[in-house]
Amino acid sequence: MKEFKIGSEMVNHPQHYNHGNMECIDAMVGAYGKNEVQIFCKINAFKYLWRLGHKDAEAQEVGKVKWYLDKYLELK
């Protein structure tokens, strides 16, 4: 998956979603399975599109949308 350049530390693998050597999204797959996490990714992408231009920098928000949609496809 290609890394998003602008604000990438807040889009791709932010520190607050890592504990030890495991990322939260990977723990979610282990706990709930790929299908459930795919649904989560699709809904989370919708959330970031919905708030686009109202919270964080647009480039960061679009990066998050892309990250979640890429993860959705990766889990297929």
Side-chain angles (χ1 to χ4, degrees):
M1 180 170 20
K2 186 178 178 192
E3 297 285 314
F4 189 74
K5 301 273 191 249
I6 301 171
S8 64
E9 68 283 350
M10 293 305 294
V11 174
N12 301 300
H13 320 292
Q15 241 355 67
H16 56 275
Y17 285 116
N18 289 286
H19 292 284
N21 63 350
M22 181 167 280
E23 224 175 319
C24 181
I25 195 85
D26 298 323
M28 290 169 63
V29 171
Y32 297 102
K34 285 183 176 184
N35 187 55
E36 296 294 324
V37 178
Q38 272 187 294
I39 294 166
F40 167 79
C41 288
K42 181 171 59 174
I43 292 169
N44 231 23
F46 177 87
K47 174 188 77 174
Y48 286 114
L49 281 171
W50 184 268
R51 75 181 206 189
L52 187 62
H54 297 285
K55 187 176 179 199
D56 296 323
E58 277 194 27
Q60 181 175 312
E61 299 294 291
V62 170
K64 290 176 182 180
V65 171
K66 182 184 179 315
W67 191 92
Y68 279 106
L69 292 177
D70 286 344
K71 183 56 102 171
Y72 174 88
L73 292 172
E74 178 186 313
L75 293 169
K76 277 224 165 265

